[in-house]
Amino acid sequence: MRAALKYDGTGDVAMAESTPPTAVRASAAPAAPARPTLILAIICVSCFMVILDNSIVFTGLPRIRSAMGFSETGLSWITNAYVLVCGGLLLLGARTGDLFGHRRVFLPETERQGGRFDVAGAFLATAGSTALVFGIVDATDIGWTAPATVVPLVAGDVMLALFVAVERRAAQPIVPLRLFASRERSGAYVTRMLYMGAMIGFFFTAQFVQSVYHWTPPRAGLAFLPMTLVNFVFAVQVPRLLEQASRPRVLTTGLALTMVAWPGSAASTCTPPT
């Protein structure tokens, strides 16, 4: 008798009950995708559409503000609402793929697993984040001590605390807290969060060049093309770099290069037209 490995839907492998050797041999080699190139192409196109959608919204913000009369605070909610809802539903969508099979939900086929949705966890994560952002954004107009600022901030903190409590007790949590037990993984999460937070600020350069230099939206969008191409070239080299150096060293080097190159890239993008 040998212990069979079972995928738990979180990226880790857990030990399940013992199974006969014949059953292990029969299930040891999962079937490979019939068309891996097609699957990869669909995933790449899907990611491209998500990025393109965000880029169109960022680039079109000046036109939206002038056409609809939004304030700076109101304009920020165009992107905040999209990102918050999308981020919250991504957790639920990923869990849906684990339960019903990735092909049924999207495309990559996997064995369906028994279980249930962590609806409470998804709701608390989305609502808590939304409340915090709502309080922070509105504080720029009404002040940090205003009830309309304090109430959302307190409500957001309470809901996120409840989210942690729910995830600790849930039989099948949408965010298993044991994932954060690894220092390397937790450090990568924090670094990714800070990095993307800084990059979001860079994309508001599209508003600057349109409002100050009166660039057209297509020209403002094309200004980001060099950065995109450089990111793509280096991204495909990451697997090769990881074979030659440790992951922390590759990550630290990438962040350092970004910090050095970012000011020059922003300055060249915002150079007044001749």
Side-chain angles (χ1 to χ4, degrees):
M1 304 287 285
R2 296 174 60 186
L5 298 179
K6 183 178 180 182
Y7 176 63
D8 64 359
T10 65
D12 297 328
V13 176
M15 296 301 297
E17 66 279 358
S18 298
T19 56
T22 55
V24 172
R25 286 194 297 269
S27 60
R35 299 178 178 177
T37 303
L38 177 61
I39 293 175
L40 178 60
I42 294 175
I43 293 175
C44 290
V45 171
S46 301
C47 292
F48 171 75
M49 293 304 297
V50 172
I51 296 174
L52 180 63
D53 184 29
N54 288 327
S55 300
I56 291 174
V57 173
F58 279 124
T59 307
L61 287 177
R63 292 287 184 91
I64 296 174
R65 178 179 56 189
S66 60
M68 305 187 69
F70 282 148
S71 64
E72 294 295 336
T73 301
L75 190 67
S76 67
W77 274 105
I78 295 177
T79 54
N80 290 337
Y82 174 85
V83 173
L84 288 170
V85 175
C86 179
L89 293 181
L90 278 178
L91 295 174
L92 199 58
R95 184 57 179 159
T96 302
D98 293 337
L99 296 179
F100 296 105
H102 297 167
R103 184 174 182 179
R104 289 175 179 269
V105 176
F106 188 58
L107 62 93
E109 181 62 274
T110 57
E111 180 183 355
R112 298 179 62 179
Q113 303 180 25
R116 58 184 181 180
F117 292 113
D118 182 13
V119 179
F123 170 79
L124 289 172
T126 305
S129 301
T130 303
L132 284 180
V133 174
F134 182 83
I136 293 173
V137 171
D138 281 356
T140 59
D141 288 339
I142 62 179
W144 288 98
T145 59
T149 299
V150 175
V151 172
L153 291 178
V154 173
D157 290 334
V158 171
M159 284 188 284
L160 291 180
L162 290 175
F163 168 74
V164 175
V166 168
E167 298 305 280
R168 284 180 174 176
R169 300 180 180 180
Q172 297 176 341
I174 197 168
V175 179
L177 299 182
R178 61 183 175 79
L179 296 177
F180 301 95
S182 169
R183 292 179 57 187
E184 183 177 5
R185 179 179 287 166
S186 297
Y189 288 157
V190 173
T191 302
R192 179 66 175 174
M193 180 185 68
L194 296 176
Y195 181 82
M196 292 307 298
M199 290 296 293
I200 289 296
F202 179 73
F203 284 110
F204 284 101
T205 307
Q207 296 185 52
F208 179 82
V209 295
Q210 293 182 73
S211 301
V212 178
Y213 299 140
H214 306 292
W215 287 10
T216 63
R219 183 176 181 181
L222 289 174
F224 295 94
L225 185 59
M227 182 186 68
T228 303
L229 295 177
V230 171
N231 285 340
F232 176 80
V233 170
F234 279 93
V236 297
Q237 299 299 324
V238 168
R240 184 179 302 175
L241 294 174
L242 290 176
E243 295 177 357
Q244 303 175 2
S246 62
R247 284 177 292 182
R249 181 174 299 178
V250 173
L251 177 61
T252 303
T253 303
L255 291 175
L257 290 175
T258 302
M259 292 176 62
V260 173
W262 197 354
S265 176
S268 63
T269 301
C270 296
T271 301
T274 57

